[in-house]
Amino acid sequence: MQITVKLFATLRNNRFKIEVHEYPEGSTILQVAEALEIPKEELALTLINGISLEVDNALKDGDTLAIFPPVGGG
Amino acid sequence: MGSVLGKVLRVNLTTGVIAAEELSAELSKSFIGGRGLGGKMLTNEIAAGIDALSEENKLFFITGPLTGTSAPTGGRYMVVTKSPLNNVIASSNSGGFWGAELKFAGYDMLIVEGKAATPVYINIKDGDVEIKAADHVWGKNTNETTDMLLSEVGDHKARVANIGTAGEQLSRIACIMNDRWRAAGRSGVGAVMGSKNLKAVVVRGSGKVEAADVDKFKEHVKAAMGKIKENGVTGQGLPAYGTAVLINIINEAGILPTNNFQEGVFPHADEISGETLAEKYLKKKDPCYRCPIACGRYCEVDGVGSGGPEYETIWAFGSDCGVSDLKAIIKANNACNEIGVDTISAGATIAAAMELYQRGYVKADELAGGPELAWGNAEAVVEWVKRMGDTDGFGKKLAMGSARLTEAYGAPELSMAVKKLELPAYDPRGLMGHGLQYATSNRGGCHVRGYMISPEILGMPEKLDRFSLEGKAEWVRIFQDLTAAIDSSGLCLFTSFALGADDYANLLTAATGVDYTAADVLAAGDRAYNVERLFNMAEGYSAADDTLPKRLLDEPMPAGPTKGHVHPLDQLLPKYYEVRGWDATGVPTADKKKSLGL
Ligand code: SF4
């Protein structure tokens, strides 16, 4: 399935801002993060289509996944 | 003796009388200091119904028990006065170094009364306090004034709080700037200073602020430092990107107000994000007094350096005006600092003017050669901020804030404000708790009276479903009370990502020698909140004013992850009043007041 992955803040270092990737059907947020070599403790905020969800949630074809490391408020 | 000095400096500008008075130990204990104590003392000292810009109003510059100590972020002070924007109680917090310096000079607070016949500034050097002529700096902007006064007092380590031309012109969105880029921003406090003909307060102190129990205090400071370092937000996120990192987060959630809250997704968000700011313009971090978090930014454009911009500022001049040019946003931020206007209200007022223009209320010929108020016009945001310090014309109209501006054109519904104070950078249609907090904030549309973004977006201290109503009234109340207590303590609200009520209680106890439990800290916050509510009610405010702009209650978000939602405020307010101990019309009950000793 195709997932649009958006990375933010320090997660962009040596990776990318936004790319479309192919993942096995039913992959979870955590599995996508593992494939991108993002350590679990860096997954401070994960949104599927703009809705904040825990990392064991599964993605479906066409979803947009946004991943933020620990960030600020203001 | 402890970190509360017990001393009030009172300066009457009408009579020229300068007096050092004793602070009531009882009041200081139950209201802690800062926002709580200032609110209580202001209520005691001014009559309801006075004109906020008359000499009857008073201006409190008030610190907390932890200001000037070694506690992390202990440099904060509050400006407390009656707001000329909306007649409610104004309490604007600022960082930098000025507040700590006032303590070093030997005072917990400065109260300014009356009105000088001609422009003056107050010069405080420990026990030597003078009212000095300021005609030569009247009409100058904040950086120039700061430079001139520092060389005049002959001490470059002195600290300056001042107003720019906006405050002089009584702009209802004027702020007070200190240490060049730090602002007591909201509620028009700069206009109160201007109305008193007070251009600046310069302060220099040689004293120290000692804790009552030095060893215990050191221990608690060390523990607090540790928690701040370990916490992802205060230890990594804020230090690395400042507050601007929120642009992308809030945009991804579809609640980044765009074109005056007509939309919630800004297609150019990444161009104005904290990431882009860090990559292109950031020169260094610019922390306040004893702050390990250092969220403050220092940026440079075209060879001109300045503090900021913050998340709120980037949003206000950026997506809220449809502008994607970060360089222009930084210039608009600098112009705000120079003329001394609140960046949130200034940007949001230009956004309201753009919508007035879009809908044909404002015509091109009124703009007298100024840039077109078209969405996305980067030149417009810079130029129109500069003109907010003007003595007449459309710039002067803008300087009165969005509520007065839109009313003048017969379209008050286009002001995205609560109680006339412009809303900040989070659309409440996708944030049930945060929207309730906007509606019930005692100073009007404000995010730092109970930052529900923390649980509703950032997942701290726990993750809440942002669309759910359940438990939100209770959360908002606790957040509002804790915030009021932190605002009373002298610490920065950002410490609350890492610290809880018991940490503040420990620090306050060791610093002051007065025993505070976590429950006492929250009760002091609750007390402060109720004092503010009662102040506003005496000014004629009621439950009818606990509301949101019509657009956010009635018009569903048009697109993006928050599509289809409105804010169901009516479903939350009754529960909120109940958990606050107020009656069904939002009035604190006799029992409630009694339990708080009011
Ligand atoms: S966290 Fe930011 S605003 Fe707060 S004291 Fe530190 S630098 Fe100042």
Side-chain angles (χ1 to χ4, degrees), chain A residues 6 9 12 17 45 71 73-74, chain B residues 233 252 270 275 447 451 457:
Chain A
K6 293 180 167 182
R12 288 178 176 180
K17 276 189 194 180
L45 181 63
V71 286
Chain B
V233 170
E252 286 300 314
D270 204 58
E275 288 88 336
H447 61 301
Y451 192 63
I457 293 290

Side-chain angles (χ1 to χ4, degrees), chain B residues 5 9 11 59-64 67-68 73-80 92-112 121-125 129 146 149-150 157-163 176-184 193 198-205 209 287-290 490:
Chain B
L5 308 173
L9 175 62
V11 176
L59 191 58
F60 283 64
F61 295 82
I62 180 166
T63 67
T67 311
T73 77
R76 316 288 304 189
Y77 75 99
M78 275 274 171
V79 176
V80 180
S92 286
N93 189 287
S94 185
F97 298 83
W98 192 95
E101 200 72 28
L102 185 68
K103 287 282 281 277
F104 300 155
Y107 309 100
D108 297 303
M109 72 185 85
L110 161 69
I111 305 174
V112 183
Y121 73 98
I122 297 172
N123 188 29
I124 302 168
K125 199 172 179 202
V129 183
T146 301
L149 294 183
L150 283 177
K157 287 189 169 154
R159 303 288 174 184
V160 180
N162 67 4
I163 54 170
I176 297 174
M177 302 295 303
N178 62 274
D179 302 294
R180 295 184 194 275
W181 341 114
R182 288 280 156 191
M193 208 162 148
L198 177 63
K199 180 68 175 172
V201 182
V202 184
V203 59
R204 181 79 164 110
V209 183
C288 303
Y289 171 84
R290 280 193 184 262

Side-chain angles (χ1 to χ4, degrees), chain B residues 73 76 95-96 182 238 286-289 291-296 492-494:
Chain B
T73 77
R76 316 288 304 189
R182 288 280 156 191
L238 281 169
D286 189 25
C288 303
Y289 171 84
C291 179
I293 306 170
C295 78
C492 178
L493 182 57
F494 286 174

Side-chain angles (χ1 to χ4, degrees), chain B residues 423-438:
Chain B
L423 289 174
Y426 313 89
D427 194 311
R429 285 174 286 192
L431 298 159
M432 301 305 117
H434 201 63
L436 173 64
Q437 129 61 29
Y438 280 161

Side-chain angles (χ1 to χ4, degrees), chain B residues 125-139:
Chain B
K125 199 172 179 202
D126 294 325
D128 293 330
V129 183
E130 287 176 287
I131 302 170
K132 302 186 77 167
D135 305 271
H136 58 307
V137 283
W138 199 256

